[in-house]
Amino acid sequence: MTDPHQPGTPAGTDPGDIDRRAALAEVLGKEVWPADRDTLVGKASEAHAPDAVLAQLRRLPEGQEFTNVQDVAEALGLGTEQKRF
């Protein structure tokens, strides 16, 4: 059992991945989905996203549609929580 008083990260992630995914979610919001790379880059640009976030989004594969931040994180190779069910 882990110590409940220590900060934890879900299995399959690390703190840096969580921070990067949170930054993506913050600038993209909930209304953009589903979206392709160009739509996501446009939305992030409108939201005045940091250069690091824009660079991540530009690395996404062209022509693929993403349904949520989890899909984007997986495409970028960021750690994501393991599915429970």
Side-chain angles (χ1 to χ4, degrees):
M1 183 168 184
T2 60
D3 182 351
H5 302 288
Q6 296 297 318
T9 56
T13 64
D14 69 44
D17 287 346
I18 292 171
D19 289 344
R20 286 185 286 279
R21 195 175 69 196
L24 290 166
E26 183 176 340
V27 299
L28 295 174
K30 297 179 182 180
E31 294 80 26
V32 70
W33 312 105
D36 62 9
R37 180 188 68 189
D38 293 339
T39 301
L40 295 174
V41 169
K43 173 69 173 170
S45 294
E46 290 172 11
H48 306 288
D51 290 341
V53 171
L54 290 169
Q56 284 185 319
L57 293 172
R58 289 183 182 119
R59 289 182 27 227
L60 291 170
E62 187 175 354
Q64 182 175 342
E65 187 170 86
F66 303 94
T67 58
N68 54 37
V69 171
Q70 182 86 355
D71 283 352
V72 171
E74 288 174 1
L76 292 171
L78 301 178
T80 58
E81 294 90 353
Q82 304 299 316
K83 296 183 179 176
R84 292 186 189 178
F85 306 100

